[in-house]
Amino acid sequence: DLHSFPTRRSSDLWSLAGIIAGKNIPGKKWRGIAYGSASIVAVDASSYYYNDIVFYTFDLISALNYCRDSGCKIINMSLSGTGRDTVLEKALESIDKSGILVVCAAGNDNSKNYVYPGDIPTTLSICNTNIENKRYDSTVDGSNYGYDKSMSAPGTNIYSSIPNGNYAFMTGTSMSSPLVAGTAVLMLKVNPELTNRDQLQDRKSVV
């Protein structure tokens, strides 16, 4: 139930869920990319630290395990942090070996620095492109880029749901990531044998 999440994070959760599986609303001419094909398991692994939203490794691993135990085949992680986290890397390796695809936001620092979890080899790291199919380049929240990234998808002015029956345009790699996750849902529906991350990435031209 998305209504149960803290207000500050609920807008993000609503928009991500809407991008993947939002229901067509009369008069809106909008629905999620995998509407009718995807079921959403919403997990909030965030915490508050001096009024900032943070993600602790223990909470992220608990969330990953919850998704695996719930039968999820695709996990979207619209979050990013700098540096490396070897404990999280090992957890994601285990998730990958269990046949689950993990799709992550590449981050919005307008840099090619290494970020996690997106640049961990067992995940897909998704950059943000604009309406001209070019990297969203902004000194404030431009899309990260570089050889560690996997692919790009639209993430600029993406229209999606927010709490209380409202809709809004949002920008960031956090919007690009669920578009790829939703596309992967459709790919798996057509070919359920595509359970391997490398197989899906080989077909990234479809995205």
Side-chain angles (χ1 to χ4, degrees), residues 107-185:
N108 308 299
D109 305 309
N110 203 41
S111 77
K112 57 182 179 181
N113 293 336
Y114 184 95
V115 300
Y116 74 91
D119 292 346
I120 293 174
T122 52
T123 72
L124 295 183
S125 180
I126 314 302
C127 303
N128 169 15
T129 57
N130 59 25
I131 195 171
E132 297 175 343
N133 199 30
K134 296 180 180 179
R135 182 178 72 88
Y136 179 69
D137 186 1
S138 167
T139 57
V140 177
D141 57 355
S143 174
N144 288 348
Y145 58 95
Y147 290 108
D148 290 316
K149 314 308 180 228
S150 305
M151 62 183 77
S152 300
T156 306
N157 292 327
I158 302 299
Y159 191 64
S160 189
S161 51
I162 59 176
N164 302 317
N166 295 315
Y167 297 81
F169 290 95
M170 304 182 77
T171 294
T173 57
S174 285
M175 309 300 116
S176 305
S177 181
L179 275 175
V180 172
T183 302
V185 170

